[in-house]
Amino acid sequence: MSVRVNLLPQATKARGQASRQRGIVLLTFLLVLLILAAVWLWQALRLSDAEDQLAEEQQQTAMLQAEVDELEPYRDLVDRTEDRDDAIETALDWEVSVGGLLQDLAATVPEDAQLENLNVTVSEFRELDPVTGRPATGDFTLTARSLTDHAPGVERFLLSLDSYISLFDLHVSSSTLEQDRDDDLPVVTFNVEGRLSEDLRTRRYEDGLPEVPR
């Protein structure tokens, strides 16, 4: 019969296990430090690249800003030009063709009448005639003379004037039959008032100012 005998004391065995555990902990700690060092190095490299890229971008931005500063006077010139063009377009938006009005009047005046005076007032904005509801661009007043009395002279003049769509809402505001004429002709001096329609607008600036050839 044989008996096994443990020659190592229990305390020696416990110290060996503790030593192995400390070694495992130390190796784990070193491994963690190694990982942290690798992460730090990687982040440092990324930060360096980002700083280099930032420096390049800042340099490019500075160059572009310098170009913008050089072009600033031209931008101000463009802004002033656009403001001027807008002001001109607004001012001329309701430009009325006086030549068209005179052409209509020339075709209207009968042979037995003559036009003595014409006053035209152009409105700044589009407005509706309160009587007819038609859009108007202004008003006119004329003074004329007829050699054939009120009828058919003045009546024919008014009907001829009303036949053109550029003129509307016509009415005779006053008339005077000349008395004591040596030739005894029934001469009438009369005033006609009316409105100018949108047909007299030139509309030359609805699409902006015309380009000037260089």
Side-chain angles (χ1 to χ4, degrees), residues 3-141:
V3 179
R4 293 183 179 181
V5 179
N6 186 3
L7 300 178
L8 294 176
Q10 189 67 26
T12 301
K13 184 178 179 180
R15 282 196 299 271
Q17 291 178 349
S19 178
R20 286 193 300 271
Q21 290 176 351
R22 284 194 298 271
I24 293 173
V25 171
L26 181 60
L27 288 176
T28 303
F29 179 73
L30 292 176
L31 181 59
V32 172
L33 286 180
L34 183 61
I35 293 174
L36 292 176
V39 172
W40 178 85
L41 180 61
W42 180 64
Q43 292 289 353
L45 292 176
R46 288 189 59 192
L47 179 61
S48 178
D49 292 340
E51 290 176 346
D52 294 341
Q53 185 177 0
L54 177 61
E56 293 178 1
E57 295 293 339
Q58 289 177 340
Q59 183 179 4
Q60 185 69 18
T61 301
M63 294 175 59
L64 293 176
Q65 185 61 45
E67 295 180 2
V68 170
D69 294 340
E70 292 179 359
L71 296 175
E72 186 68 25
Y74 299 99
R75 184 172 65 180
D76 293 340
L77 179 60
V78 170
D79 292 340
R80 291 197 300 270
T81 301
E82 291 178 351
D83 292 341
R84 181 207 60 187
D85 291 347
D86 291 341
I88 294 176
E89 290 177 22
T90 301
L92 298 179
D93 181 52
W94 287 93
E95 183 186 50
V96 173
S97 174
V98 178
L101 174 60
L102 294 177
Q103 183 177 1
D104 286 353
L105 290 176
T108 298
V109 178
E111 294 181 356
D112 59 354
Q114 64 182 27
L115 181 65
E116 294 192 339
N117 187 37
L118 174 65
N119 293 316
V120 176
T121 302
V122 179
S123 304
E124 295 183 1
F125 305 99
R126 184 177 186 269
E127 56 185 40
L128 297 179
D129 181 68
V131 177
T132 63
R134 291 178 56 182
T137 58
D139 306 287
F140 76 92
T141 302

Side-chain angles (χ1 to χ4, degrees), residues 188-214:
V188 177
T189 300
F190 58 95
N191 295 320
V192 177
E193 297 180 3
R195 313 215 69 185
L196 309 176
S197 75
E198 287 190 316
D199 297 284
L200 287 173
R201 287 182 57 197
T202 62
R203 292 181 170 85
R204 292 189 297 176
Y205 306 100
E206 288 186 343
D207 297 328
L209 296 179
E211 293 293 335
V212 179
R214 298 182 182 275

